[in-house]
Amino acid sequence: MTPSFELFVDGASREGTGGGRIPLVNPASGEQFGEVAAAGVGDMGSAIESAHRAWESGWRDLPPGKRARILFGVARALRDNLEAIARLEQRNIGKPISDARDEAELGARVFEYYAGAVSGFCGQTIPVARGGFDFTLRQPMGVVAAIVPWNFPFPIACWKSAPALAAGNSVVLKPASLSPLTALALGRIAHHAGLPAGVLQVVPGSGAAVGDALVTHPRTRKISFTGSTAIGSRIMQLAAPDLKRVSLELGGKSPNIVFADSDWERAADTSPMSVFANTGQDCCARSRVFVERAVYGRFVERFVAATRRLAVGDPADPATQLGPLVSAAQRASVEEYLADARARGSTFAAGGGRPRPEGFYLEPTVLLDVGPGDRCWREEIFGPVVCIVPFDDEAAMIREVNLSPYGLSGSVWTNDLRRALRVVRQVESGVISVNSHSSVHVEAPFGGFKQSGIGRDLGMSAMEGYTELKNVYIAD
Ligand code: NAD
């Protein structure tokens, strides 16, 4: 029997009306294993109205201690279901099970962090010149639309929902059509753990149809979006007439900068997974590697050897590091980039082909001799493709790094502290790490410069972004 999944609205699973059903395909085999109900515009409207009622009639005014207790309960319930969540993600989008387990755990940790933050989240008292008493309030906004992509469906659903709920909002969560299952599981688990009905609604459906309806609905006060730069720009335009608040986490083309004075062997060994993890479907993928010429040849050799050691295979196998791409369409889009690289005479130092006949697999691919105008160098490919180039001059290299319209993440490898500080200041990106590839920490802000986005997820910045700031003055 084909498993079937419904919307999760008002604390119960519901059929959609008018949106039809979306087939769910296992990317490792290419076979359909189920389907999910897609919301119609009417379903979305009623989910938003009832999220607003749930907010106004209770959640908004719940004492912080009670709200924290409920969110800690959600975190505990998520922990009780980590393996089930990981298995759903693995089957739905072909994510290697070891990564899916880490991401399920990350989601639970995010709920713990924001549950803990509720009681300490407060305004300021401010000494103003006229005497009297001035203080600020951080007030919830109302209904928050959380629109999430298919590459990290569960953790991103959690890192949008948890701070929005902790700040006292209700949430309408719209997962991507390709990856609705763990978002629906989040809705069910959170409700059974004590989150009141309607406070977290999970409404799968087509972005173009119900996504627009969610963004433009008069009750929606803030849109927190993660996805492509093109759709982010559209959402900003849709939100503009009513001046709705938006935060946007968008695409990237992040640099990985390796100086000759660094532990470049370690950089070469670890860098392949900084771009190929999640089969390259990662907004933070370090897909442009700049290597100082003195170590370029040796670095490339070592990088290619490490790439060839990566375990590409069945996502259900705990030893697998790279699974398939999410869909046939995504693989076709990446293969177009590879065809362009071939036509322009780039060198394929590794990969370029399909490693398996079934499923949507593609080999991790290392491109050399790439020109500054080439599509593979300039555009976000969102697949397992990296370009490596040599550089001679630090200032010219930084200029090239910053020519990208994106500015999400990046790494700098050097053992010279002054150089590290100089380069991290100059690179135009919201997140950067030195001698490491980590980008995401639950406690620290995450987001982009330029066309990589507006606003920040995670840390206390996210919670601030789900409130309005009110200043109150009381005369003496
Ligand atoms: P996408 O922009 O196609 O879709 C993202 C979400 O938006 C989906 O839920 C989709 O259904 C919805 N959507 C589509 N059209 C809409 C509309 N008109 N109105 C409202 N919602 C709409 O992105 P994707 O293909 O799911 O994800 C890949 C992209 O996401 C990449 O560009 C990647 O870099 C980016 N991304 C960014 C981050 C980050 O934190 N910066 C994290 C993950 C992914």
Side-chain angles (χ1 to χ4, degrees):
M1 200 179 91
T2 308
S4 170
F5 302 88
E6 319 302 330
L7 325 181
F8 191 79
V9 172
D10 292 338
S13 292
R14 281 172 210 278
E15 271 294 328
T17 55
R21 300 190 78 77
I22 305 168
L24 299 169
V25 173
N26 180 343
S29 64
E31 283 161 14
Q32 183 176 342
F33 68 90
E35 54 181 28
V36 68
V41 171
D43 300 314
M44 183 55 92
S46 52
I48 297 168
E49 286 295 349
S50 84
H52 179 78
R53 279 194 300 278
W55 175 68
E56 211 174 33
S57 65
W59 188 248
R60 178 182 65 182
D61 301 314
L62 211 61
K66 279 197 180 160
R67 195 182 302 144
R69 225 172 17 252
I70 291 173
L71 295 178
F72 274 122
V74 173
R76 262 194 312 277
L78 291 176
R79 286 204 178 278
D80 291 343
N81 286 280
L82 291 183
E83 187 60 19
I85 293 166
R87 292 272 166 205
L88 271 181
E89 202 84 294
Q90 171 233 307
R91 192 149 69 129
N92 193 176
I93 55 168
K95 191 175 286 276
I97 189 67
S98 51
D99 292 347
R101 286 178 180 140
D102 289 349
E103 290 175 24
E105 209 271 341
L106 172 61
R109 214 148 60 73
V110 166
F111 268 90
E112 281 156 6
Y113 173 78
Y114 287 108
V118 170
S119 306
F121 185 66
C122 52
Q124 295 174 293
T125 58
I126 303 171
V128 294
R130 303 176 64 195
F133 185 66
D134 192 283
F135 64 98
T136 60
L137 293 174
R138 286 256 169 216
Q139 295 191 303
M141 295 167 149
V143 177
V144 168
I147 305 178
V148 299
W150 48 259
N151 58 342
F152 296 102
F154 186 69
I156 296 181
C158 291
W159 81 46
K160 291 195 181 301
S161 307
L165 295 170
N169 304 282
S170 59
V171 173
V172 177
L173 170 62
K174 200 206 81 62
S177 300
L178 288 169
S179 59
L181 300 189
T182 51
L184 289 167
L186 172 64
R188 276 194 306 273
I189 292 168
H191 178 61
H192 290 131
L195 196 69
V199 171
L200 173 60
Q201 314 273 50
V202 188
V203 190
S206 134
V210 292
D212 278 19
L214 174 56
V215 172
T216 54
H217 194 285
R219 292 276 193 216
T220 303
R221 301 296 287 274
K222 154 127 191 183
I223 301 103
S224 177
F225 170 82
T226 296
S228 59
T229 294
I231 302 292
S233 163
R234 172 167 173 74
I235 284 177
M236 207 162 162
Q237 289 169 40
L238 290 171
D242 297 329
L243 293 171
K244 289 185 177 165
R245 285 25 173 179
V246 291
S247 63
L248 307 170
E249 302 291 342
L250 309 175
K253 188 77 185 174
S254 296
N256 183 8
I257 302 165
V258 182
F259 286 96
D261 71 22
S262 70
D263 183 355
W264 61 266
E265 289 102 333
R266 190 159 71 86
D269 292 344
T270 57
S271 289
M273 278 304 271
S274 81
V275 56
F276 298 136
N278 213 38
T279 318
Q281 303 163 120
D282 180 352
C283 53
C284 291
R286 271 75 167 160
S287 52
R288 294 185 298 159
V289 187
F290 298 78
V291 186
E292 201 166 8
R293 196 175 298 275
V295 295
Y296 177 74
R298 285 173 292 160
F299 178 93
V300 168
E301 213 172 283
R302 213 168 159 125
F303 187 109
V304 167
T307 298
R308 295 213 165 104
R309 286 196 298 274
L310 294 176
V312 180
D314 179 0
D317 180 346
T320 292
Q321 290 170 285
L322 307 190
L325 288 148
V326 73
S327 65
Q330 188 63 20
R331 180 170 64 179
S333 153
V334 178
E335 285 180 331
E336 263 180 45
Y337 280 99
L338 297 183
D340 191 69
R342 276 193 196 94
R344 285 170 175 263
S346 294
T347 302
F348 283 61
R354 297 181 177 188
R356 294 177 152 222
E358 78 284 4
F360 311 133
Y361 288 88
L362 202 54
E363 289 169 332
T365 301
V366 181
L367 298 179
L368 311 177
D369 307 311
V370 180
D374 291 2
R375 285 184 66 205
C376 285
W377 180 250
R378 288 186 291 107
E379 297 177 19
E380 182 183 49
I381 299 175
F382 227 56
V385 183
V386 71
C387 304
I388 313 183
V389 299
F391 72 89
D392 297 294
D393 174 64
E394 180 184 308
M397 177 272 295
I398 300 266
R399 273 198 301 279
E400 178 63 31
V401 165
N402 288 339
L403 269 183
S404 172
Y406 296 113
L408 186 57
S409 188
S411 296
V412 183
W413 292 81
T414 177
N415 282 326
D416 177 336
L417 180 60
R418 285 198 300 176
R419 170 178 274 157
L421 292 174
R422 189 168 65 233
V423 173
V424 298
R425 263 199 304 272
Q426 288 175 352
V427 169
E428 294 172 344
S429 72
V431 174
I432 191 154
S433 41
V434 177
N435 298 333
S436 153
H437 292 303
S438 69
S439 293
V440 169
H441 306 274
V442 174
E443 305 80 1
F446 173 77
F449 282 20
K450 303 193 287 187
Q451 291 184 28
S452 287
I454 292 174
R456 294 293 178 267
D457 278 330
L458 297 174
M460 292 312 291
S461 317
M463 213 156 145
E464 286 169 8
Y466 291 114
T467 56
E468 294 286 1
L469 183 60
K470 179 177 284 174
N471 192 67
V472 183
Y473 176 74
I474 303 178
D476 58 2

